[in-house]
Amino acid sequence: MKSPNVIWHPRLVNRGDRERLNKHRSGVIWFTGLPASGKSTIAHFLEKELFDRGIRAYVLDGDNIRHGLCGDLGFSREDRRENLRRIAEVCRLMVDAGLLVLAAFVSPYREDRRYVRERVGDGAFFEVYVKCSPETCEKRDPKGLYRKAREGKIQGFTGVNAPYEEPENPDLVLDTEEDDLETCVQKVLRMLSEKGFILLL
């Protein structure tokens, strides 16, 4: 519930000012896909590539967020929705701060991803589908979560006993069974350049 006494404080420095200072636009690159598809790995390597180019970027990772901001949430449908609602608001603040946000979240439901896009603003949100078959994800799985889900030790695990709704019109598809890590990173950089968010030299 929002109190009627809470008022948004006007700013003396706005997003456009920060973008001019940074010499790049701010926005959200939202990596969605099955667990162990490669979302976080791509996001972190992309962050390093952007950092080396003098571009201010920051990774929001599903596991890391659940250590603090969303540490009180589980994996029920309601908790997943609240998890992404909080993340959407953090993304909005970081975009206003002039950053490129690299958000790596399974985010299995289309309506939740659509909600984040609407909150951030369509022109500053890019949905990147990190495509990988459940079989390959399970073979890669570094934490053994797929095995635990199949043994009944984890309930509501996306790809085993909970659904994943593939994006219908993603801004970019990265097939991690076909493309290596460097190729995936370069594809995202090229997309950001073509959209006018960064300048590739």
Side-chain angles (χ1 to χ4, degrees), residues 41-165:
T41 300
I42 294 169
H44 282 284
F45 273 81
L46 177 62
E47 179 187 42
K48 181 62 166 62
E49 182 71 25
L50 291 168
F51 178 85
D52 290 344
R53 293 170 181 264
I55 296 166
R56 291 165 171 80
Y58 191 85
V59 173
L60 294 178
D61 173 83
D63 283 346
N64 293 354
I65 285 289
R66 284 183 176 272
H67 278 284
L69 179 67
C70 298
D72 59 326
L73 299 176
F75 292 89
S76 68
R77 179 68 187 98
E78 294 73 21
D79 280 0
R80 285 181 185 271
R81 186 180 288 114
E82 173 60 15
N83 182 54
L84 292 187
R85 187 196 69 78
R86 296 180 191 181
I87 292 163
E89 295 307 316
V90 171
C91 285
R92 289 185 72 205
L93 292 172
M94 296 180 82
V95 168
D96 188 56
L99 302 176
L100 274 175
V101 184
L102 313 178
F105 298 94
V106 174
S107 47
Y109 298 103
R110 293 188 190 108
E111 68 171 321
D112 292 343
R113 299 192 299 266
R114 186 163 51 247
Y115 170 82
V116 179
R117 181 188 288 272
E118 290 170 356
R119 290 299 292 161
V120 170
D122 191 47
F125 181 95
F126 301 99
E127 183 180 56
V128 177
Y129 176 30
V130 182
K131 184 178 180 181
C132 188
S133 69
E135 295 76 20
T136 299
C137 289
E138 188 165 358
K139 289 177 184 176
R140 293 176 179 171
D141 183 16
K143 294 178 279 189
L145 298 179
Y146 280 87
R147 176 179 51 79
K148 291 179 181 178
R150 294 194 186 284
E151 292 172 350
K153 296 177 181 177
I154 300 177
Q155 295 301 315
F157 186 76
T158 304
V160 176
N161 44 36
Y164 177 79
E165 298 174 358

Side-chain angles (χ1 to χ4, degrees), residues 11-26 54-56 95-99 196-197:
R11 299 181 180 278
L12 299 179
V13 179
N14 62 36
R15 173 181 167 189
D17 296 328
R18 297 185 183 94
E19 289 180 334
R20 283 188 291 275
L21 177 66
N22 293 340
K23 296 182 175 61
H24 64 79
R25 293 173 63 189
S26 61
I55 296 166
R56 291 165 171 80
V95 168
D96 188 56
L99 302 176
F197 274 70

